[in-house]
Amino acid sequence: MTATVDQQPSRTGEPSMAELVKQAAEQLSDLVRGEIRLAVAEMTRKGKRAGIGAGMFGAAAIALLLALQALVATAIAAVAIALPVWAAALVAAGALLLVAGFLGLLGMSQTRRVTPLKPETAINGVKADVEAIRMRAHP
């Protein structure tokens, strides 16, 4: 019988534990960076949508204010035919308060559509990634 000099296990091309840990750390780092980029993109999109909506809401409010000024003057003049001018102005002011309340509720409804202000797609992606990592680590 001849004794072999090389008693170490042969390398079969499989990566070592240190290499696997290094690869996992790099992949996790890349994954986190990707999810952060996704979150930033999602928040940017939501921010733009909220800004455009707020700008349109403001422009509509200005146009409405100008139109209401003309209509109020017309309504007061029309009601002043039957009532004293002060009473006609009071009726017009009451009607305007009702309209303002209704428009405020509509604006609040539109603003709520933007919420929640969190990157839902990115959060769901991270949860799925964590679950996939768990499944691969514990088959």
Side-chain angles (χ1 to χ4, degrees):
M1 247 192 193
T2 58
T4 59
V5 177
D6 190 359
Q7 295 293 327
Q8 295 179 349
S10 64
R11 289 202 101 192
T12 59
E14 293 182 20
S16 69
M17 182 61 80
E19 291 171 338
L20 288 174
V21 170
K22 180 181 175 187
Q23 286 176 357
E26 288 172 354
Q27 290 174 353
L28 184 60
S29 177
D30 291 342
L31 181 65
V32 169
R33 282 191 205 107
E35 294 297 345
I36 289 172
R37 282 192 299 271
L38 177 63
V40 167
E42 187 176 352
M43 292 305 291
T44 300
R45 188 179 72 246
K46 282 187 173 186
K48 285 180 183 177
R49 189 175 296 150
I52 289 170
M56 288 181 178
F57 186 68
I62 291 171
L64 180 65
L65 179 64
L66 295 174
L68 282 177
Q69 287 175 350
L71 288 175
V72 167
T74 303
I76 291 172
V79 175
I81 294 172
L83 298 173
V85 175
W86 68 267
L90 186 62
V91 168
L96 286 175
L97 287 174
L98 289 174
V99 170
F102 177 73
L103 291 174
L105 290 175
L106 286 178
M108 192 180 335
S109 167
Q110 291 296 317
T111 307
R112 284 188 180 152
R113 289 186 182 181
V114 177
T115 57
L117 290 176
K118 61 182 180 181
E120 293 171 337
T121 305
I123 291 171
N124 291 336
V126 168
K127 287 179 182 177
D129 294 340
V130 167
E131 186 61 30
I133 289 169
R134 281 188 190 149
M135 296 302 285
R136 292 180 86 186
H138 304 294

